[in-house]
Structures are given as structure tokens and as C-alpha cells.
Amino acid sequence: MVKTILGQVKEFKKDSLITPVCMILEVIMEMLIPLLMAAIIDNGVEQGDMNYIYKTGAVMMLLAVFGLAAGMMGAKYGASASTGLARNLRTAMFDNIQSFSFANIDKFSTAGLVTRLTTDITNVQNSYQMILRMCVRAPISMVTAMVMAFLINAKLASIYLIAVIALGFCLFLIMRKAMKYFKEIFPKYDDLNASVQENVSAIRVVKAYVREDYENEKFTKASGNIYQMFTKAEKILTWNAPLMQIAVYGCILAISWLGAKMIVSNALTTGQLMSLMTYCMNILMSLMMLSMIFVMVTMSAASAERIAEVINEKSTLSNPEHPIQEVPDGRITFEHVDFSYSKSLSETRNGDGGELVLKDISLEIHAGETIGIIGGTGSAKSSLVNLISRLYDVTAGKVSVGGVDVKAYDMEELRNQVSVVLQKNVLFSGTILENLRWGDKNATKEECIRVCKMACAHEFIEQFPDKYDTYIEQGGSNVSGGQKQRLCIARALLKKPKILILDDSTSAVDTATDSRIRKAFATEIPDTTKLIIAQRVSSVQGADRIIVMDNGRVADFGTHEELLERSEIYRDVYESQTGGGGDFDQPGGDR
């Protein structure tokens, strides 16, 4: 974890080294001032030598100025190093998240990743700055003050040593108790962010069902959990102040009492007693500072672990050593494919992982074919097509595109040639043209218009006042479900793929528009292999062949007419839909 975090310091190593040097210089200046102050009292005030007072005072002022300058430089470079580390950590996390496979993404919640990119990194940033400045300053200040005190008078200085040991033991117990709560706090932020994210993204549903009070209660509960944990931790930390005050005032009383006796017996000078008093405050305040540093480091340790988890997470998918850079055509072959969302086939078969989602799938699809995929909810239609663009890897068997195992391709090239319109249609903030150019960033406006005509999106875009420059709100909230689907289809077509996969991507489109889209595909992109997942038989019955999925297996594969003759599942659904609007989740009564 430490190696991972410090590995992101990178170009801020210089600032990270200068900061502690500046803090050491500041401590040296501070430690010399009490000695000069003692000299002024003993050799200037008591002797009545104003010339000595002026000279020594000038030196003290010079030391104070140098100490202030060193402190300011330490603050400047410390801030630069800590904010630079935070920037690099955010960049490293975000870059690694972009490389995640779907399997990696499944391990982390969206709210959890947001918390790690914000709250956790802020904790590490604050902790790093404190380590560079206070963690260097406090122990050096304490040790130096202790040495100085022993040089002045070992008997009186031993009072500090006893106080430091006793106070250090008490602070250790306090921190150990508080650490437990701080480690539990930050995962609670995930729940809080999840509550906010879910509420804001689904605000229309919340208002439609008048569930504002329920959402308020859920947020209050998540916020209350954080409040309770912080309260418990802070109640323990409140013991720091009284213990520190007892130690400080106890030392002052003991030194004043014993010091006065020594002054009377000429074993100690007044100036030396003043210096010891100053060093007393330096020693005990340094210890107090150290206790707060340990608390901060403890808080940030949990955050650092969570950050390191994301940075160190390796994608479950990777390119081969010499990847193939060109997909020859859109042929697709499944050879005895099993797939599970668990780690391995052995885990699945031994009952240690999840169940097999796809079981012994063998298919051969020719380039340019239009293939319909139909089946009930949970029959693994989406899981089947996700393997083609290698969003997941097969658990067993082999998936080939263009006669080559998908694992042998460069993933970027493969995904450029296998265009997927996912079940959840997502548009990004920006104009319609900017959203379309996710398919091809160099596409001309004419090319964008051409694919929009194919996807039957051109008509409604032209009705907008700003046409193709119309601004799309976050998530596409200012366009309808059907319009969003057609824009996503157009975006996928702009990639000019060899394989086009529509994962239930016309569910919000009316039947007539759906038919026009399919006709445009047949005439405009005849050489592209098209896989169309649908719930409506009418959406796939014109396909060259249709795959009927049932419980993770291929129940049948053939043309519409062939399936009507031999597939009871397909026939029942066709009859129920054409007769009464049924679907795969509501089969015919004779089944």
C-alpha cells in the first residue's frame, strides 16, 4: 500500500525532499532562541548591559526571521507536494478504471469509486502534507528540546522525560481506541454517496411515487451512521487536551518549585529556568502534535488501502504478446462455450463460484448474416453477445471472429470492428454531433447525417431548433427513450463495424420505425453481420436465422419458418404475441 501511494509522488519528489529540510531549519532556529533568551536575562538584564541586550536581541530577531522564512517555504513546498500527490493518485485511479474489464467493474460500486476519488484522496493528501511537515518537525523539535534541557540541567530535564513517557503511553491508548472507529467510518461514505447518487439519478421516479420522505429517511440514516462513528472517535480524542494540560501544568509547577530552590542555592540561573520553561512547552506540544499526526495517519491509512485497491487492480482481460491488428470479416463461431461470472470453471463446477450462465454453446454465424436472438428474461442473451467483443472472457471453449480466437486480437481493434449498442442506452453531455462522434471522432457532419437516416433519427433531429447542434443533457434526459435508442444505434453505425450487435436496442421504438431500421440495415450495410436481441418476434422474424435461448442454452437455431415448425418455445411465443401481445415471460397456456 505505502509503495503504491508513494509511487505516485513522481515529479513532486523534489518538493517532498525540500519540505522536511525547511522544517528542520525552522526547528533549529526555534531551539536557539531560548538559549539566547537565557543569555539576555543572565548577561544583559541582571548585569545591566544594554549593549549586550541589543546585540543578542538582534540575533534573536534574525533567527526568528530565518525560522519564519523556512516555515513558509516548508508550507509552500509541502502544499505543492501533497496536492501533486493527490492529482497523480486521481489520475492513476481514473486511468486504471478506464482499463477495467466488466468483471473488474463488477467488483466496485460506483459510489465506492466516487468516494475513493474524492474523500479518500483528500484524506491521504492532508495526511501526506502533515507527514512532510509536522511528522518531521515534531519529533526533531521534541528530541532537540530534550537534549537542550539536559544540557542546561539534567535533574530538572528528567521531569520532562517522565512526563513524556507517561503522556506518550496515555496517548497510545487513546489512539488505539480511536483507530478502530476511524477504520469503519470511510466505508460508510460509500453508503452515503450511493444514497445521493440513486436519489438524484432516479429523481423523476421518486417524485412520481411521492417517495421523498422515504429517500430523506434513507439519507438521514446513512448520514447518521457517519455522525455516530465520528462522534465516538472524537469523544475518545477529547482526552488528548486535558491530559496534555495536566502534563504541561504539572511540569511547569515541578520545574518552578525545584528551579526556585536551585536559583536560591545558585545551582541554576534565572535565564536557564526561563529556557527550561520554553523547552517544556516545546517538548509537550511536540508530543501533542505527534499524537494528532498518528490520528491523521490512522484515518488516512484506511483511505490509502482503498485507493491502492483500485490502482493495483489488474484488468482480467489483456492483449496477447503479439496481437492481431486486423479483423478479416464478420464470421462468428462459438465452440462448446461455457461462461460464468465466477473466476474459473473448476470453481463453478465444484460449487465454489456462481452457476454457469451459458452452457455448451456451439454456433456458426456467417459474415453479413442478420441473426435474431430471442428468449425470456434471464436466458443469457446479453451474456452471449458480450463474449463476442470480449467484454468478458469465456470460462471454457472458444469464441472466434473472422476465424480467429477473440483472445488473439488487439482488444481496441476488435471492439472497433464489433460495435455494440448496449441494453442500457447512455448519452453524454454535449451536442448530438459530439455524441455521434463517439463512434468516429473524425466523422464529418455528412457521415453523421447518413447514419442517422439509417437509424431513423434524422427526422426528429431536424425538428429540433438547433438540429444536430442540439445540446443533450446528462444521461440524455431531454430526449425520449426511443430517440435515445436511435441516436445510440447511429453512433454505433458510425464505426463502420464488421459486426453490429443490438442488445434489445429498439424496445422503445414503435414497430413501424423498427421495421424501417431493419430494412435500412439490409440495404445499407449488407456485409455487416447483425445480431439483434429482441423480445418481440416481429423484430427478428425477418432475420436470416434466429437463435432461441432458454436457461443459458441454445434451445434452437433456424429460420422463422423452421422454428415455427419444430420449436415449441418459439411457436408458443409467436402465437401469444400475434394473438394477444404476450412475450417470453408469459408463454402460451399449453406449455
Side-chain angles (χ1 to χ4, degrees):
M1 174 193 73
V2 174
K3 186 179 178 182
T4 300
I5 300 299
L6 293 182
Q8 297 303 320
V9 175
K10 295 180 180 177
E11 68 269 32
F12 297 97
K13 287 178 183 176
K14 179 184 172 184
D15 292 356
S16 299
L17 291 172
I18 291 174
T19 303
V21 171
C22 290
M23 301 319 296
I24 291 169
L25 289 173
E26 184 185 18
V27 169
I28 291 170
M29 298 301 111
E30 284 185 4
M31 292 301 108
L32 291 174
I33 288 173
L35 289 178
L36 294 175
M37 186 173 64
I40 285 179
I41 293 170
D42 293 337
N43 303 323
V45 176
E46 291 188 0
Q47 303 297 326
D49 186 350
M50 290 302 295
N51 191 39
Y52 184 85
I53 291 172
Y54 289 142
K55 285 181 180 178
T56 310
V59 174
M60 286 177 67
M61 286 184 65
L62 229 89
L63 291 175
V65 170
F66 276 123
L68 178 63
M72 290 174 66
M73 292 297 288
K76 175 184 177 296
Y77 285 107
S80 173
S82 60
T83 52
L85 173 64
R87 186 197 72 181
N88 289 346
L89 285 173
R90 287 192 186 96
T91 303
M93 286 179 68
F94 192 79
D95 287 348
N96 202 40
I97 289 168
Q98 298 307 303
S99 73
F100 282 179
S101 67
F102 278 22
N104 294 114
I105 292 169
D106 293 342
K107 290 175 64 176
F108 299 96
S109 67
T110 304
L113 289 173
V114 170
T115 304
R116 292 167 206 243
L117 280 163
T118 52
T119 305
D120 287 327
I121 285 183
T122 301
N123 290 332
V124 171
Q125 175 184 335
N126 294 335
S127 179
Y128 188 63
Q129 183 171 12
M130 189 171 277
I131 287 170
L132 290 179
R133 297 183 63 202
M134 298 300 114
C135 205
V136 172
R137 189 185 193 286
I140 290 176
S141 178
M142 186 171 70
V143 171
T144 307
M146 188 75 76
V147 170
M148 291 290 194
F150 269 93
L151 289 174
I152 293 170
N153 190 290
K155 186 177 179 181
L156 287 178
S158 61
I159 295 171
Y160 300 153
L161 190 59
I162 294 168
V164 165
I165 293 170
L167 190 58
F169 178 71
C170 293
L171 292 177
F172 170 76
L173 293 178
I174 290 170
M175 287 184 292
R176 187 179 178 184
K177 188 81 173 172
M179 278 170 60
K180 181 180 71 174
Y181 293 110
F182 282 124
K183 284 185 176 179
E184 295 175 8
I185 286 171
F186 297 107
K188 300 289 182 186
Y189 276 107
D190 293 354
D191 298 334
L192 186 71
N193 285 338
S195 175
V196 174
Q197 180 194 14
E198 189 174 52
N199 179 264
V200 172
S201 61
I203 192 67
R204 290 170 176 79
V205 179
V206 172
K207 290 189 175 296
Y209 284 87
V210 197
R211 297 286 281 176
E212 291 91 343
D213 290 342
Y214 170 76
E215 289 295 322
N216 284 337
E217 287 175 13
K218 191 165 71 171
F219 179 83
T220 302
K221 182 180 178 182
S223 181
N225 288 336
I226 295 174
Y227 164 77
Q228 288 173 5
M229 298 299 288
F230 263 117
T231 302
K232 288 176 181 177
E234 294 294 340
K235 279 181 179 177
I236 295 168
L237 292 180
T238 53
W239 285 96
N240 271 8
L243 284 172
M244 184 60 62
Q245 288 180 349
I246 290 169
V248 170
Y249 294 130
C251 285
I252 290 172
L253 285 171
I255 290 168
S256 299
W257 182 53
L258 293 173
K261 284 186 174 184
M262 288 183 175
I263 290 172
V264 170
S265 63
N266 294 320
L268 191 74
T269 66
T270 306
Q272 287 176 328
L273 180 61
M274 290 290 293
S275 295
L276 285 169
M277 289 288 192
T278 306
Y279 287 133
C280 170
M281 294 302 296
N282 276 326
I283 291 167
L284 297 176
M285 290 310 295
S286 294
L287 190 63
M288 179 69 168
M289 215 178 290
L290 277 174
S291 73
M292 295 312 298
I293 290 168
F294 284 129
V295 169
M296 179 63 78
V297 169
T298 300
M299 289 173 61
S300 64
S303 294
E305 285 178 8
R306 286 156 54 81
I307 292 168
E309 278 180 10
V310 178
I311 294 176
N312 292 331
E313 179 74 14
K314 301 299 180 187
S315 175
T316 57
L317 305 178
S318 60
N319 277 335
E321 191 173 343
H322 301 290
I324 295 172
Q325 296 292 338
E326 185 178 349
V327 179
D329 55 51
R331 284 177 293 144
I332 304 168
T333 307
F334 286 78
E335 298 177 33
H336 302 289
V337 169
D338 289 338
F339 173 68
S340 168
Y341 289 101
S342 64
K343 291 182 180 179
S344 67
L345 186 61
S346 60
E347 282 183 347
T348 302
R349 287 177 174 168
N350 292 333
D352 298 327
E355 292 183 9
L356 282 174
V357 177
L358 295 170
K359 305 154 194 172
D360 195 26
I361 304 293
S362 292
L363 293 168
E364 188 168 347
I365 297 167
H366 306 128
E369 268 194 305
T370 299
I371 302 295
I373 304 175
I374 201 161
T377 303
S379 60
K381 303 184 297 295
S382 297
S383 298
L384 179 75
V385 296
N386 282 342
L387 300 179
I388 298 170
S389 56
R390 209 186 168 199
L391 296 176
Y392 292 95
D393 269 344
V394 297
T395 305
K398 186 171 79 170
V399 177
S400 300
V401 169
V404 178
D405 190 337
V406 292
K407 293 181 181 179
Y409 284 114
D410 176 77
M411 283 192 289
E412 185 175 342
E413 175 61 23
L414 175 66
R415 290 172 186 172
N416 276 331
Q417 296 301 326
V418 181
S419 194
V420 184
V421 183
L422 295 169
Q423 203 165 11
K424 291 184 179 179
N425 298 285
V426 177
L427 295 175
F428 298 89
S429 302
T431 65
I432 289 176
L433 272 177
E434 288 170 347
N435 270 277
L436 291 171
R437 284 174 177 149
W438 273 68
D440 181 359
K441 62 183 178 181
N442 298 316
T444 62
K445 187 173 181 180
E446 289 69 28
E447 288 175 316
C448 293
I449 292 172
R450 184 182 69 82
V451 294
C452 284
K453 286 179 178 178
M454 288 173 59
C456 297
H458 180 69
E459 294 87 346
F460 75 79
I461 293 172
E462 285 294 311
Q463 292 174 8
F464 292 140
D466 296 326
K467 298 182 171 37
Y468 282 83
D469 292 319
T470 300
Y471 189 82
I472 300 294
E473 300 292 340
Q474 184 178 10
S477 59
N478 59 332
V479 291
S480 71
Q483 290 172 338
K484 191 189 296 185
Q485 285 185 338
R486 282 178 275 174
L487 287 172
C488 289
I489 292 170
R491 181 175 64 188
L493 290 170
L494 203 57
K495 293 176 73 174
K496 303 181 182 70
K498 288 187 168 63
I499 298 172
L500 176 65
I501 299 171
L502 303 181
D503 188 354
D504 205 14
S505 303
T506 57
S507 57
V509 174
D510 62 87
T511 307
T513 304
D514 186 13
S515 176
R516 286 169 55 203
I517 292 172
R518 284 185 279 111
K519 285 179 182 176
F521 286 170
T523 55
E524 298 289 336
I525 48 172
D527 296 330
T528 299
T529 306
K530 298 163 282 289
L531 304 181
I532 303 171
I533 296 176
Q535 293 292 339
R536 296 184 301 220
V537 172
S538 60
S539 296
V540 297
Q541 69 180 47
D544 297 318
R545 288 186 291 172
I546 301 166
I547 300 169
V548 180
M549 298 292 296
D550 185 37
N551 195 29
R553 296 181 183 275
V554 175
D556 213 329
F557 186 26
T559 64
H560 171 68
E561 291 75 16
E562 290 171 347
L563 293 176
L564 282 177
E565 286 182 15
R566 68 178 183 231
S567 173
E568 184 182 351
I569 298 174
Y570 186 82
R571 185 170 56 252
D572 285 350
V573 175
Y574 174 76
E575 290 173 354
S576 64
Q577 287 188 3
T578 53
D583 61 27
F584 263 89
D585 295 318
Q586 295 174 331
D590 58 337
R591 282 189 64 213

